[in-house]
Amino acid sequence: MEDIATDYLDLIRNRKFAAVAEDLRGRPAPVVADIIESLPTEEAGLAFRLLDKTTSLEVFEEFDGGMQADLLSALGAESTADAFRSLDPEEQAWLLDEVPAKVAKQLVRYWKEDERAPIRELLGYPRESVGRRMAAQIIRTRPDEKIGALLHRISQLDADNDKIAEIPVLTADRKLIGTVALAKLLYADPQDTVSTVMDSHPDFFYTTDNVEMAARQALLSGDLVYPVVDREERLVGIWPLADAAWIDIYEAEEDHARAGASEPLTRPYLLTPVKEIAHSRIVWLLVLGISATLTVKVMGFFESTLDQNVALALFVPLLIGIGGNTGSQAATTVTRALAVGDIEGKDIGRVAFKEIRAGLLVGCLLAIIASLVAWPLYGSGIALVIGLTLVFNCPIAATVGGCIPLIARACKVDPAVFSTPFISTFCDASGLVVYFSIAITVLSL
Amino acid sequence: MEDIATDYLDLIRNRKFAAVAEDLRGRPAPVVADIIESLPTEEAGLAFRLLDKTTSLEVFEEFDGGMQADLLSALGAESTADAFRSLDPEEQAWLLDEVPAKVAKQLVRYWKEDERAPIRELLGYPRESVGRRMAAQIIRTRPDEKIGALLHRISQLDADNDKIAEIPVLTADRKLIGTVALAKLLYADPQDTVSTVMDSHPDFFYTTDNVEMAARQALLSGDLVYPVVDREERLVGIWPLADAAWIDIYEAEEDHARAGASEPLTRPYLLTPVKEIAHSRIVWLLVLGISATLTVKVMGFFESTLDQNVALALFVPLLIGIGGNTGSQAATTVTRALAVGDIEGKDIGRVAFKEIRAGLLVGCLLAIIASLVAWPLYGSGIALVIGLTLVFNCPIAATVGGCIPLIARACKVDPAVFSTPFISTFCDASGLVVYFSIAITVLSL
């Protein structure tokens, strides 16, 4: 595949568009999609425009969400309006959230009122909610329906496998009371009613549930279709496992990149230009760099202490390294616990209490080891200063690292994004203050 | 749920076992599983032992993998042998990989030869391969089978929905030539053959494919069942999307925790004892701390330089912070690209070339900004030293950060684990050498 992509890349860069169009015409849509996805954004856009209309719609549906958003943004609304229109409403809603506002507006500009209705309904749910990502319900049943009758109705539908694998069972007033697996219907006697084979404790989601947490729960439970209900537990849509799966991957990629202080790349690494890679990193480096000037200030404040005992400078990288790592360990654990719903904002006291103790335990262990190592090499004074710094600094770093993600969540920003620069800056600066204060006291500087 | 768990916790800690057993008896298995999962390990083990035999088997199947492994390890083979025996072979194989070797041995000690066969077959595939995690095929078809006949065979099976949602289509000599969706069978004419509705370009996996990469691909494609084939493309098993989903989550949790330099917690955060949290972190802190002593050596080497110009010390935390961040950004991107299969070991040259350039670009930008800020405050000499350090150090850090995950992979260790301490140590130490060398040259110290 990579070699084919390189061939295409050469052809496109040499403006041999007729040859590209000719060659792409002979291939099935999934293959064309793979080829185009492995090209850099600009060339991908050019190749996509060379497809005839029918193929371009098929190929666009094959792309994953990130690629679709890329193409919409790169080609603009005119060249992609038809491809966009051919998607399911929940896919359209997701893309409208991802592309620049200008493009989003143009994409739906010429739609008739009734065309806008389904997407408007989805966009009425809050960002990052399950309601905004759900699919339309395709079939539902009642507990007293005969299985044979239900199977007959299904056979008239021609719906996708992944959307009818489990069918919601509703009361007369549309309240969800169960689900029934397609496989179960086949094994059962057609004369029995749905109620004999339904699961009456199905997992389901509310439209207002957070989509990232819900996707994770869905993947852990592994049901094939989740009913989505409103506050009154009336069915309003469904969420297939397959949709939850790619949303989970997309959110995880974002979290992962941001935990590493960069923005996620939208293309395969080797095909991403150096400029784009640098771009995805420079903002974070600047933010981290600017906040790190605080450490210059703190060091400057203790310059005279350093002047009296320059050996103190030797341990600065070591000590702030341990502090920073302790803080980011705590932040990692707490961010994950927040993401999976194990803790919420109101638990901040319990988190702080746990982190103070965990930090103290870790700090004391490290202090004993570090002092024993430092004593013969640098004398008892320095050994004591290093030990005490660790005892005090580890609980501070752990507590700060544990609480900042909760504060970020309370301020409605993504904890994975917001936390990194603050934790590293704060842990570095507080670590230095603790270190020099202890040094001044212990060594009477 | 949490309140119920707290009540149980109190009862168990007060040794009121009869009351716990009595109360659990009245609840359905999924609820009992939720309650036990939200207890700390020791109490969870006690509660699990209070269940009667039938319930305990049902409850054990409800637990997720991490919890099952916890219980097997905590309770030992005797109390859990029956629960273990009731699982599917692919679940047993996974658990045998996760629990301590001693427990694993005891779990299968008294099995008869024919009981061991399926699990032995799975364990014959390499660790972390799809073969080791696949499920047994339940039903297959041939292209010339009548749809009505196939539906009749399915109706005799009583298999799980998630394992028959797509059915492999094989040639007479068991080669995979397609899959057919259960839903498609229902819409079709029973007199037609399978070949009329089958997908003849299905996604599938080889038994030797890496399970983490395969799980990700499965989640992105979203097919409900993946055929697993041997080297000759003969069907040997299936991999339901639901299984791929929890494996992906489990692997992602592990990567995420390790990128944050700690081991993943197996229980909900608030229920994990402080001792366990400290335990999950201390090893990494020690490794990082010991490798950070290299920075003390480097600083010691330049002590006389520092003595002559103590102001140089002020910028040490800032500069090593930027270096470390540049390195970890590169490592994050490359680790992810490795995990999703965008790059492999042989690409190390291309990765290094890309990272040198990205690092240089970022370094030059930061150098310009930093020099302009530092000049009026600390004079032209220091400003030049800081600028040059960034120009040289960012490409070094980015290249090291980008290459170490590839080296880790080549040494067959998890890049997410191995990379963190080496990158931070190397970037810190090399950054200091660059900084002081430039300072000595520029300031003629």
Side-chain angles (χ1 to χ4, degrees):
Chain A
M1 180 53 65
E2 208 174 288
D3 298 330
I4 307 184
T6 318
D7 293 344
Y8 276 102
L9 198 54
D10 289 342
L11 287 174
I12 293 171
R13 292 205 166 139
N14 296 320
R15 329 299 287 172
K16 302 233 156 75
F17 296 132
V20 174
E22 177 66 28
D23 192 295
L24 286 177
R25 200 165 300 143
R27 298 174 186 272
V31 176
V32 176
D34 278 353
I35 292 173
I36 294 184
E37 276 196 292
S38 61
L39 295 171
T41 312
E42 198 184 326
E43 285 78 4
L46 284 168
F48 182 74
R49 280 209 256 199
L50 294 172
L51 302 174
D52 63 73
K53 191 164 157 176
T54 328
T55 316
S56 76
L57 297 190
E58 280 171 32
V59 167
F60 195 77
E61 287 205 39
E62 290 284 334
F63 288 141
D64 70 34
M67 180 69 193
Q68 290 178 340
D70 259 24
L71 268 191
L72 292 185
S73 310
L75 295 180
E78 289 109 68
S79 333
T80 53
D82 288 331
F84 180 76
R85 202 186 274 261
S86 70
L87 299 174
D88 286 340
E90 71 273 17
E91 294 168 325
Q92 294 170 339
W94 184 83
L95 281 169
L96 290 183
D97 283 347
E98 293 294 317
V99 300
K102 218 181 78 185
V103 178
K105 227 176 192 167
Q106 287 174 344
L107 280 170
V108 292
R109 174 175 289 170
Y110 300 110
W111 288 22
K112 299 206 195 75
E113 192 46 42
D114 61 327
E115 288 178 309
R116 288 192 198 197
I119 207 174
R120 178 171 296 162
E121 193 197 319
L122 291 177
L123 293 177
Y125 293 104
R127 263 176 183 274
E128 305 289 312
S129 76
V130 170
R132 205 165 172 124
R133 302 279 167 265
M134 68 189 175
Q137 44 161 316
I138 288 173
I139 187 166
R140 54 187 193 236
T141 178
R142 301 245 307 259
D144 53 0
E145 187 173 24
K146 286 269 194 297
I147 288 171
L150 174 57
L151 276 172
H152 178 74
R153 283 205 294 133
I154 296 174
S155 71
Q156 307 301 311
L157 278 180
D158 200 9
D160 279 347
N161 208 13
D162 67 331
K163 287 184 178 165
I164 61 156
E166 291 178 52
I167 298 160
V169 185
L170 309 183
T171 62
D173 58 347
R174 280 184 41 223
K175 283 215 172 136
L176 179 75
I177 53 166
T179 57
V180 58
L182 191 54
K184 280 265 164 78
L185 295 175
L186 293 173
Y187 311 137
D189 180 345
Q191 292 306 314
D192 279 345
T193 60
V194 165
S195 60
T196 58
V197 289
M198 78 176 187
D199 169 9
S200 40
H201 294 283
D203 287 345
F204 62 89
F205 294 109
Y206 290 101
T207 52
T208 47
D209 283 345
N210 173 278
V211 75
E212 184 171 355
M213 278 167 56
R216 187 148 290 255
Q217 279 173 34
L219 265 60
L220 279 173
S221 317
D223 292 344
L224 298 183
V225 178
Y226 292 85
V228 181
V229 299
D230 63 16
R231 212 179 277 263
E232 283 79 38
E233 308 213 336
R234 281 174 226 268
L235 187 77
V236 290
I238 55 168
W239 207 34
L241 178 62
D243 288 7
W246 77 257
I247 288 175
D248 184 75
I249 286 194
Y250 193 84
E251 300 278 345
E253 294 276 318
E254 208 173 72
D255 284 1
H256 181 82
R258 287 176 178 168
S262 60
E263 286 297 303
L265 300 177
T266 51
R267 325 301 323 286
Y269 173 79
L270 287 178
L271 294 168
T272 309
V274 168
K275 229 170 43 184
E276 263 180 54
I277 294 183
H279 185 83
S280 75
R281 296 177 185 173
I282 186 74
V283 178
W284 276 112
L285 285 180
L286 271 178
V287 173
L288 293 162
I290 290 166
S291 53
T293 54
L294 182 62
T295 62
V296 181
K297 290 249 176 276
V298 174
M299 293 287 287
F301 185 79
F302 291 106
E303 196 174 350
S304 63
T305 315
L306 266 178
D307 226 357
Q308 290 174 58
N309 191 341
V310 80
L312 285 176
L314 309 192
F315 306 98
V316 164
L318 174 81
L319 291 172
I320 65 177
I322 292 178
N325 282 317
T326 311
S328 73
Q329 285 180 331
T332 306
T333 321
V334 169
T335 305
R336 177 49 68 202
L338 262 176
V340 300
D342 283 348
I343 54 175
E344 38 191 312
K346 68 175 174 50
D347 294 318
I348 191 163
R350 296 167 74 187
V351 170
F353 184 53
K354 207 172 259 289
E355 288 299 335
I356 283 188
R357 288 177 297 158
L360 197 61
L361 191 52
V362 165
C364 290
L365 287 171
L366 291 177
I368 294 169
I369 298 167
S371 315
L372 289 178
V373 173
W375 199 322
L377 296 171
Y378 305 97
S380 63
I382 291 278
L384 187 58
V385 172
I386 292 173
L388 284 175
T389 303
L390 289 169
V391 170
F392 280 95
N393 201 35
C394 288
I396 296 175
T399 311
V400 169
C403 293
I404 283 186
L406 288 166
I407 295 168
R409 172 63 64 93
C411 304
K412 308 235 177 257
V413 290
D414 187 343
V417 186
F418 176 86
S419 308
T420 319
F422 282 84
I423 291 169
S424 70
T425 306
F426 190 94
C427 291
D428 285 3
S430 70
L432 291 171
V433 172
V434 169
Y435 176 48
F436 286 113
S437 307
I438 290 174
I440 290 171
T441 315
V442 171
L443 306 178
S444 328
L445 296 175
Chain B
M1 179 55 62
E2 208 174 286
D3 298 331
I4 306 182
T6 319
D7 292 346
Y8 275 102
L9 198 54
D10 289 343
L11 286 174
I12 293 170
R13 292 204 166 139
N14 295 320
R15 329 298 289 170
K16 301 233 156 78
F17 298 132
V20 175
E22 176 66 28
D23 191 294
L24 286 176
R25 200 165 302 143
R27 298 174 186 272
V31 176
V32 176
D34 279 352
I35 292 172
I36 294 183
E37 276 196 290
S38 61
L39 295 170
T41 312
E42 197 183 326
E43 285 78 5
L46 284 169
F48 182 75
R49 280 209 254 200
L50 294 172
L51 302 174
D52 62 71
K53 190 164 159 177
T54 327
T55 317
S56 75
L57 297 189
E58 281 172 33
V59 167
F60 194 79
E61 289 205 36
E62 290 284 335
F63 288 141
D64 70 34
M67 180 69 192
Q68 290 178 340
D70 259 23
L71 268 191
L72 292 183
S73 311
L75 294 179
E78 288 109 68
S79 332
T80 53
D82 287 330
F84 179 77
R85 200 186 277 260
S86 70
L87 299 174
D88 286 340
E90 71 272 18
E91 294 169 323
Q92 294 170 338
W94 184 83
L95 281 168
L96 290 182
D97 283 346
E98 293 294 315
V99 301
K102 218 182 79 185
V103 177
K105 224 173 194 171
Q106 286 175 345
L107 280 170
V108 292
R109 174 175 289 173
Y110 299 111
W111 287 22
K112 299 205 194 76
E113 192 47 41
D114 61 329
E115 288 177 308
R116 288 192 199 197
I119 204 174
R120 177 171 297 161
E121 193 198 319
L122 291 178
L123 293 177
Y125 293 103
R127 264 178 182 272
E128 304 290 312
S129 75
V130 170
R132 205 164 171 125
R133 302 278 168 265
M134 69 189 175
Q137 45 162 315
I138 288 175
I139 186 165
R140 55 187 192 232
T141 179
R142 300 245 306 260
D144 54 0
E145 188 173 23
K146 287 266 193 299
I147 289 172
L150 175 56
L151 277 172
H152 178 75
R153 284 204 295 132
I154 296 174
S155 72
Q156 308 300 312
L157 279 178
D158 201 7
D160 281 344
N161 208 13
D162 66 331
K163 288 184 178 167
I164 61 157
E166 291 177 52
I167 299 161
V169 185
L170 309 183
T171 62
D173 58 347
R174 279 182 42 223
K175 281 211 175 140
L176 179 75
I177 52 166
T179 58
V180 57
L182 190 54
K184 281 265 164 76
L185 294 176
L186 293 173
Y187 311 136
D189 179 344
Q191 292 307 313
D192 280 345
T193 61
V194 165
S195 60
T196 59
V197 288
M198 79 176 186
D199 168 9
S200 41
H201 294 283
D203 287 346
F204 62 88
F205 294 109
Y206 290 100
T207 52
T208 47
D209 283 344
N210 174 279
V211 74
E212 185 172 356
M213 278 168 57
R216 186 149 292 257
Q217 280 172 35
L219 265 60
L220 279 174
S221 317
D223 292 344
L224 298 182
V225 178
Y226 291 85
V228 181
V229 300
D230 63 16
R231 212 180 276 262
E232 284 79 38
E233 309 214 336
R234 281 171 225 271
L235 187 78
V236 290
I238 55 167
W239 208 34
L241 178 62
D243 288 7
W246 77 256
I247 288 175
D248 182 75
I249 286 194
Y250 192 85
E251 300 279 346
E253 295 276 316
E254 210 174 69
D255 285 1
H256 180 83
R258 285 175 179 168
S262 61
E263 285 298 303
L265 300 178
T266 52
R267 327 301 322 285
Y269 173 78
L270 286 178
L271 295 167
T272 308
V274 168
K275 228 169 45 184
E276 263 179 53
I277 293 183
H279 185 82
S280 74
R281 297 176 185 173
I282 186 75
V283 178
W284 277 111
L285 284 180
L286 271 178
V287 174
L288 293 162
I290 290 166
S291 52
T293 54
L294 182 62
T295 63
V296 180
K297 289 250 178 274
V298 174
M299 292 287 284
F301 186 77
F302 292 106
E303 195 173 351
S304 63
T305 315
L306 266 178
D307 226 358
Q308 289 173 59
N309 190 343
V310 82
L312 284 175
L314 309 192
F315 306 97
V316 165
L318 174 81
L319 292 172
I320 64 177
I322 292 177
N325 282 316
T326 310
S328 73
Q329 284 180 331
T332 306
T333 321
V334 170
T335 306
R336 175 49 69 201
L338 262 175
V340 299
D342 282 347
I343 53 174
E344 39 190 308
K346 68 175 172 50
D347 294 318
I348 191 161
R350 295 168 73 187
V351 169
F353 184 53
K354 209 171 254 293
E355 289 299 336
I356 283 188
R357 289 177 297 157
L360 197 61
L361 191 53
V362 164
C364 290
L365 286 171
L366 291 177
I368 293 168
I369 298 167
S371 315
L372 289 177
V373 172
W375 199 321
L377 295 170
Y378 305 98
S380 62
I382 292 276
L384 186 60
V385 172
I386 292 175
L388 284 175
T389 304
L390 288 169
V391 171
F392 280 94
N393 202 35
C394 287
I396 296 176
T399 310
V400 170
C403 293
I404 284 187
L406 288 166
I407 296 168
R409 172 64 65 94
C411 304
K412 310 236 177 256
V413 292
D414 187 344
V417 186
F418 175 85
S419 308
T420 319
F422 282 84
I423 291 169
S424 69
T425 306
F426 190 93
C427 291
D428 286 2
S430 69
L432 291 170
V433 172
V434 170
Y435 176 49
F436 285 113
S437 308
I438 290 174
I440 290 171
T441 316
V442 172
L443 306 178
S444 328
L445 296 174

